């Protein structure tokens, strides 16, 4: 077993009293004070997350756009410079290697951010696909260790970052920066990428900064955010926030055994492309389970791995993520269920440690911000 990895912000997390957990081989802060307090802060004001465990890859060269059209499920050649796009890296059989966000930095220059636990698999897949793509000059580099990634999420994220000392030379005025787009800036004289993306269902930004400057940026954001209710937030709050927002998590809703159509991500796959890895994969079987949202009453929440059953107690699915929603005040879950039980409004039951809890199939997301 390899030694656990820590981000450049380890000392800051320890000083703030963080509890740590293993996540994709990294020791990451799971909470600082209270899961609920950190969750509510993001919904009501702002939270700052260390997400430096995420992996970053550059894809450069005159064939970069055509290569990504082949390597990924989306049509990345149509992505405008300055924009970002959610996409999927598939196997030839149609399973999901990882879900990623792609940023087009220039005509022949792309940045891919992938999940920490899939860093090796993504690097291997991208590298192996260069020869088969027949797309021209392409170079893929794993630059994960060169950068830190800090997320500022919540309705006050923009004003906090606009007031953060050291952030300068912002290429696009804060209020004009669009969702799933990016701007350039500098911090302490070093390049800073400001991406208006996130994993919480709230407005917010993800800041890519050279690793050596992560601590100074973290401190500056905390100082600027203190008067506005910003708190450091850990993975526990990040998980309940993304669950409320109906956002899938690799290893829970997504896997090598999951087809995009089952996960409600069929729209991400551009089947009209002439060729891409996964294009010739067979469609899921008619009885393949489908990802749905589930809501229940009371306080007992279903958790990942718990069975979903019908009125007769027959298993019809399995929960992939579940929690008592801090924002909504009742249990919510995502689950894969049989197609016959996937229609919105269908009554089902959650098997919570031997107790059957009534639940209802519900459209995703559970929570949507109002502005």
């Amino acid at each position: 077993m390899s030694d656990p990895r820590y981000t450049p912000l380890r000392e800051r997390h320890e000083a703030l009293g963080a509890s740590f957990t293993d996540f994709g081989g990294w020791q990451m802060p799971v909470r600082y004070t209270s899961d609920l307090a950190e969750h509510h802060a993001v919904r009501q004001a702002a939270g700052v997350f260390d997400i430096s465990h995420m992996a970053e890859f550059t894809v450069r060269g005159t064939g970069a756009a055509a290569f990504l059209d082949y390597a990924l499920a989306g049509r990345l050649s149509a992505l405008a410079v300055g924009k970002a796009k959610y996409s999927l890296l598939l196997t030839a059989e149609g399973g999901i290697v990882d879900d990623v966000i792609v940023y087009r930095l220039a005509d022949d220059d792309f940045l891919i951010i992938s999940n920490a636990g899939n860093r090796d698999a993504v690097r291997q897949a991208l590298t192996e696909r260069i020869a088969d793509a027949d797309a021209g000059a392409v170079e893929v580099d794993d630059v994960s260790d060169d950068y830190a990634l800090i997320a500022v999420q919540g309705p006050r994220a923009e004003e906090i970052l606009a007031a953060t000392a050291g952030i300068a030379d912002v290429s696009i005025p804060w209020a004009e920066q669009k969702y799933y787009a990016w701007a350039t800036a500098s911090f302490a004289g070093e390049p800073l990428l400001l991406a208006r993306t996130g994993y919480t269902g709230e407005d917010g930004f993800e800041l890519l900064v050279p690793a050596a400057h992560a601590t100074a940026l973290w401190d500056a954001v905390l100082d600027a955010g203190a008067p506005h209710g910003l708190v450091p937030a850990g993975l526990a709050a990040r998980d309940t926030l993304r669950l409320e927002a109906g956002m899938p998590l690799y290893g829970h809703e997504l896997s090598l055994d999951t087809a995009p159509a089952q996960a409600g991500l069929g729209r991400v796959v551009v089947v009209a492309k002439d060729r891409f890895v996964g294009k010739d994969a067979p469609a899921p079987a008619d009885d393949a389970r489908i990802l749905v949202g589930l809501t229940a009453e009371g306080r007992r929440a279903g958790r990942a791995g718990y069975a979903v059953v019908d009125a007769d107690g027959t298993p019809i699915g399995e929960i992939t993520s579940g929690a008592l929603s801090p924002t909504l005040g009742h249990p919510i879950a995502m689950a894969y269920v049989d197609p016959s039980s996937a229609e919105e409004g269908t009554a089902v039951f959650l098997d919570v440690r031997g107790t059957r809890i009534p639940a209802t199939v519900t459209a995703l997301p559970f929570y949507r911000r109002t502005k």
Side-chain angles (χ1 to χ4, degrees):
M1 179 178 292
S2 59
D3 293 334
R5 302 191 66 185
Y6 291 87
T7 78
L9 295 168
R10 175 184 181 178
E11 292 183 358
R12 288 297 188 267
H13 301 321
E14 291 175 340
L16 289 165
S19 299
F20 289 82
T21 189
D22 176 80
F23 193 85
W26 293 75
Q27 284 295 301
M28 297 297 296
V30 64
R31 70 183 56 82
Y32 299 86
T33 55
S34 154
D35 301 353
L36 285 175
E38 293 166 19
H39 179 109
H40 288 312
V42 174
R43 289 278 182 254
Q44 298 165 8
V48 57
F49 301 82
D50 177 13
I51 53 172
S52 302
H53 60 310
M54 302 290 279
E56 292 85 30
F57 302 88
T58 58
V59 181
R60 294 172 172 148
T62 55
F67 165 72
L68 290 175
D69 278 353
Y70 171 76
L72 299 178
R75 195 185 297 278
L76 284 308
S77 59
L79 184 64
V81 174
K83 301 295 185 181
K85 190 176 187 65
Y86 179 82
S87 195
L88 298 170
L89 185 70
L90 304 178
T91 65
E93 296 74 27
I96 301 173
V97 178
D98 202 11
D99 60 333
V100 301
I101 297 181
V102 183
Y103 303 82
R104 193 167 196 168
L105 306 182
D107 286 345
D108 301 327
D109 189 356
F110 294 79
L111 171 71
I112 298 176
I113 296 185
S114 75
N115 288 294
N118 291 332
R119 176 178 172 179
D120 291 344
V122 171
R123 180 176 58 242
Q124 180 177 345
L126 291 175
T127 302
E128 290 177 349
R129 292 175 189 188
I130 292 176
D132 294 333
D134 190 26
V138 180
E139 184 173 336
V140 174
D141 288 310
D142 183 345
V143 296
S144 308
D145 295 336
D146 297 337
Y147 294 97
L149 194 60
I150 295 172
V152 183
Q153 301 283 299
R156 308 197 73 172
E158 179 187 305
E159 64 179 302
I160 290 168
L161 288 175
T164 298
I167 295 181
D169 307 315
V170 179
S171 62
I172 302 172
W174 290 98
E176 296 178 18
Q177 294 180 35
K178 303 298 184 182
Y179 189 51
Y180 264 70
W182 57 268
T184 58
S186 64
F187 178 76
E190 292 292 328
L192 176 67
L193 183 75
L194 301 171
R196 200 156 202 162
T197 48
Y199 195 50
T200 63
E202 294 296 337
D203 187 22
F205 297 80
E206 294 175 324
L207 286 64
L208 189 71
V209 66
H213 295 271
T215 299
L217 179 58
W218 175 269
D219 291 346
V221 169
L222 282 177
D223 287 345
H228 303 288
L230 175 137
V231 303
L235 292 182
R238 185 171 164 85
D239 193 49
T240 51
L241 289 160
R242 69 91 192 169
L243 174 57
E244 289 181 347
M247 295 177 169
L249 175 63
Y250 197 91
H252 288 250
E253 288 72 43
L254 308 178
S255 73
L256 289 170
D257 298 320
T258 307
Q262 291 177 264
L265 296 174
R267 68 189 185 281
V268 178
V269 183
V270 181
V271 294
K273 291 191 298 181
D274 291 338
R275 58 192 293 263
F276 64 92
V277 178
K279 180 178 176 64
D280 297 327
D286 290 342
D287 61 352
R289 287 177 169 173
I290 299 169
L291 186 67
V292 299
L294 299 173
T295 57
E297 298 181 357
R299 310 291 291 178
R300 297 189 68 182
R303 304 292 180 180
Y306 288 13
V308 181
V309 301
D310 63 15
D312 297 325
T314 303
I316 56 171
E318 183 175 301
I319 293 173
T320 52
S321 299
L324 178 62
S325 167
T327 302
L328 305 175
H330 58 73
I332 60 173
M334 289 194 281
Y336 279 97
V337 302
D338 294 341
S340 58
S341 299
E343 184 176 349
E344 186 177 349
T346 300
V348 298
F349 296 87
L350 313 181
D351 185 347
V352 180
R353 297 182 178 178
T355 300
R356 291 200 301 172
I357 306 295
T360 304
V361 175
T362 307
L364 295 171
F366 302 104
Y367 165 86
R368 195 186 303 272
R369 64 187 175 97
T370 56
K371 62 178 181 177

